[in-house]
Amino acid sequence: MARIAVIGAGAGALAAAARLAVAGHRVAVYERTETYGGALRRRERDGFAFDTGPGLLPLPAVYRDLFVKTGREPLEECVELVQADPSSHHVFADGTRVSLPNASRAGVISALEEALGADAARRWGDFLVRAREAWDRARRPLLEEPLWPNWEVLAGREPYPAVPHRRLLRTRKAATLAEVGDWELRDPRLRALLESHALAFGLDPRTAPASAAVLPYMEHAFGTWYVRGGLRELARAVYERCLARRVEFRFDAEVTAVLEKDGRAAGVELADGTAVEADLVVAGVDPGALERMSGTRLRGEGEVPARRDGASRTTVLLALRGGRPEGTPHRTVVHTRDREAELDALSGAGLPAEPTVTVLRPDDPALVPDAGHEAVTVTAVTPAGTARVEEYAERMVTAAARAVPDLRDRLLWHEVRTPRDVARETGAEGGAVPSPALAAADGRFLHASNSTRLPGLFTVGGWSHPGGGLPHAGMSGALVAGLVVEGPDFRGSR
C-alpha cells in the first residue's frame, strides 16, 4: 500500500483518487481553494443557481465506469442524468434555425434536410461517416491508452480520411478543420456547425487538424446529458465516492513544491511550510505550475511538450423574470455573423464585436426560486488572461437575445464571470481551458503523457493526456490509476 499525494481536486484528480483508494492505497488530496470540483462550480444568489463551468456532460459512460469500478452504487443512483433533447439548437448568421436530436444520426440528417435542404443534409451525413472513421482510428491511442512512447506516429498520421475529388479524378486530404468545411461541406451554415465544436475549446479551425472532426461525431454518436441540479452535482457525487473510499481531503492547502529524494518524487510541501511525505505524487495542475513546483523541466528532448496555450471563457449569469417556456431547447448556439473577426480574436486581435455564444436554459426547478423565474447562462470563448470584459459581456447578451425573446425586458440582474475567475478557481494560468487531445499536426494538439521524467510523479486532468473536457478528465484518472497499479506496461482497459 503506497502513500499517494494528489495535488488539486478537479474532476480528473478526483477520478484518480477514487480509483487509487479502491486499489488499496492511502490517498490524500491537497486543494488550494476551499472546495472540490475544479471548474465544476455553482453560483447561488436570490434563489437562483448557475453552473459556472461546464453545463452538459458528453460521454457519461466514462463516469458510469468510474462508479462501477469504485463502489456498489452506480452513477444513476448518485445523480439524476437527463438526456438533453434536442442536443442543441442552432441560430445561424442568416437567421436559419435548426434543432438537432440527441444521439440520432438519422434524426440529425432529417432535421438538417428540413432546415437546410437535401444537399446540405447529404453532405453532413457523408461527413459523419468520415468522422466515424477518424474516431475508430484514433479512439484507443488518444483516449483509452497511455500516450505511446512512439507518440510521433500519432503526431504525423492524420486519421481523417482523404475524400475523392470528382473533377480532378483524385483524392485530397484535408489538413485542417476549416478545409473540411470549405471542401466537403461548402454551406456556410454547415461550416459554422462544424467549427463551433472546435471553437467551444478555443481551437481555431484554420489551424486545428482535420481530426477535430471527432468532436461533433462524439456528440452525435454518444449524446449529451444534463445532471439534475447542475453539473456541480456530478462533482459532489465523485467527491462523496472518494470519501466513501477513505480518501482524505485538505482544503485551503496550496502545494508549493514537489519534494524529491533519491531521484524520485517523495511528497509535497505546502504554502505554510509543512512537508508531507508520500511514495507517489499525482498532480492535477497546469504544466507551468507543476514545473515551478518541481523546479525542473518535466519533459525531455523528443517528448510531447507540455501545452500551455488555451483560450478561456467569459460567462454571463442571467436571472430572468418569467418562467421557461414549454419546449425551450436546453442549449442554443447563436453563431457569429463575422467568422473571421471571431477567429482572429483567438490569436489576440481584440475581442470580436459579435461572438458566437452558447445559451443554456435548463428545465430544472432546483435552479430557480419558483416557476415564475428562469436561470440562463451565456458563454463565449475569450483569450486567456483577458481582464476587462464588461463591454464584451454586453455584446454576448445582445447575441443571446437572438435566442431568448424579450431577454432584456425580463432581466432582473446579471453577473459576469471572467477568465480571472476561471484562473482563481482552477489555478490555470490566465484562466486557460484545455482542449481535448487531437492527432496529426506534428503533435501540436497532443498533451503530455501522464507519467513524467521524475519517477513517482504523474499528471492528471485536462492538461495531461488525453486532454480537456469532462470525459477526457475522467479518462486521465483511469489512465493514471492503471499506470500506478499495473506499472509502465499498462496499456489501458480492454
Side-chain angles (χ1 to χ4, degrees):
M1 179 177 69
R3 299 167 300 172
I4 300 177
V6 178
I7 306 173
L14 292 177
R19 290 176 181 271
L20 289 168
V22 165
H25 299 292
R26 279 184 56 190
V27 182
V29 176
Y30 299 89
E31 166 57 41
R32 53 181 284 277
T33 71
E34 76 288 353
T35 189
Y36 55 86
L40 291 172
R41 300 294 181 102
R42 174 187 288 138
R43 171 67 173 127
E44 297 181 357
R45 173 181 164 185
D46 300 339
F48 292 87
F50 306 85
D51 279 323
T52 60
L56 289 169
L57 175 65
L59 269 177
V62 172
Y63 289 90
R64 289 190 178 110
D65 180 73
L66 171 65
F67 276 73
V68 166
K69 299 291 176 57
T70 59
R72 295 180 179 178
E73 303 85 7
L75 176 63
E76 279 81 354
E77 287 188 12
C78 301
V79 297
E80 183 182 352
L81 288 178
V82 181
Q83 194 171 30
D85 201 5
S87 174
S88 59
H89 182 77
H90 292 263
V91 181
F92 296 108
D94 66 353
T96 305
R97 295 171 177 258
V98 62
S99 290
L100 302 181
N102 202 332
S104 171
R105 179 181 180 275
V108 166
I109 301 306
S110 177
L112 289 174
E113 180 173 359
E114 181 177 347
L116 308 184
D119 286 346
R122 175 185 54 77
R123 286 194 292 272
W124 188 261
D126 292 344
F127 158 73
L128 286 180
V129 172
R130 292 186 288 271
R132 177 177 179 174
E133 187 173 339
W135 166 259
D136 289 340
R137 291 173 177 176
R139 175 178 56 87
R140 279 205 65 82
L142 272 181
L143 299 180
E144 299 175 358
E145 298 176 342
L147 193 64
W148 296 339
N150 59 333
W151 59 268
E152 292 90 346
V153 176
L154 280 173
R157 183 180 64 188
E158 173 55 73
Y160 188 80
V163 178
H165 191 284
R166 295 175 183 173
R167 291 183 181 178
L168 301 179
L169 299 179
R170 62 180 176 83
T171 61
R172 60 184 179 185
K173 200 173 187 71
T176 67
L177 195 67
E179 289 178 347
V180 173
D182 291 339
W183 295 355
E184 301 170 27
L185 300 179
R186 298 194 290 277
D187 188 309
R189 297 164 297 185
L190 291 183
R191 185 180 65 185
L193 174 59
L194 170 69
E195 294 181 350
S196 65
H197 292 270
L199 187 64
F201 289 101
L203 297 172
D204 185 339
R206 300 171 300 187
T207 57
S211 64
V214 301
L215 300 177
Y217 172 77
M218 288 167 62
E219 180 169 310
H220 285 333
F222 305 113
T224 304
W225 302 75
Y226 174 67
V227 179
R228 188 72 69 187
L231 266 289
R232 175 66 177 175
E233 287 299 293
L234 177 65
R236 175 198 55 76
V238 180
Y239 169 68
E240 291 180 353
R241 178 56 52 93
C242 287
L243 293 178
R245 302 284 80 81
R246 300 182 185 278
V247 175
E248 299 177 13
F249 284 85
R250 285 193 59 183
F251 297 108
D252 296 312
E254 181 179 4
V255 173
T256 55
V258 175
L259 303 178
E260 183 179 343
K261 182 178 181 181
D262 299 328
R264 291 184 53 85
V268 297
E269 183 176 303
L270 305 182
D272 63 4
T274 302
V276 180
E277 294 184 356
D279 302 301
L280 300 167
V281 177
V282 176
V285 298
D286 79 85
L290 183 56
E291 290 192 345
R292 288 192 295 272
M293 290 176 187
S294 64
T296 183
R297 289 188 61 190
L298 297 172
R299 310 295 161 191
E301 186 74 23
E303 293 181 272
V304 176
R307 290 196 67 189
R308 291 178 171 83
D309 60 327
S312 187
R313 295 173 183 145
T314 296
T315 302
V316 184
L317 314 178
L318 302 172
L320 304 183
R321 63 171 62 88
R324 179 182 184 272
E326 186 73 23
T328 297
H330 186 118
R331 173 177 55 171
T332 297
V333 180
V334 182
H335 296 270
T336 183
R337 286 176 282 215
D338 192 346
R339 169 182 178 264
E340 295 302 319
E342 179 168 63
L343 298 184
D344 288 345
L346 295 176
S347 56
L351 296 173
E354 184 184 272
T356 293
V357 298
T358 298
V359 182
L360 297 183
R361 306 176 68 182
D363 181 12
D364 190 344
L367 305 185
V368 291
D370 54 53
H373 295 85
E374 184 179 6
V376 176
T377 61
V378 181
T379 304
V381 172
T382 311
T386 303
R388 299 187 63 83
V389 296
E390 291 81 2
E391 183 180 346
Y392 187 57
E394 282 297 309
R395 300 174 201 166
M396 291 170 57
V397 174
T398 298
R402 293 167 58 195
V404 185
D406 304 320
L407 188 156
R408 292 190 182 275
D409 292 338
R410 297 175 57 198
L411 185 61
L412 291 171
W413 53 262
H414 75 281
E415 289 187 6
V416 180
R417 298 185 58 81
T418 73
R420 286 186 174 179
D421 295 312
V422 179
R424 185 181 67 253
E425 293 175 353
T426 67
E429 187 173 349
V433 177
S435 62
L438 299 171
D442 298 324
R444 297 193 309 274
F445 294 86
L446 295 175
H447 290 267
S449 61
N450 307 103
S451 55
T452 71
R453 286 199 298 164
L454 180 62
L457 175 62
F458 300 86
T459 65
V460 73
W463 292 106
S464 61
H465 180 74
L470 279 176
H472 297 72
M475 291 173 186
S476 75
L479 293 176
V480 167
L483 289 168
V484 169
V485 173
E486 298 188 27
D489 294 331
F490 172 69
R491 285 296 173 264
S493 57
R494 297 286 180 178

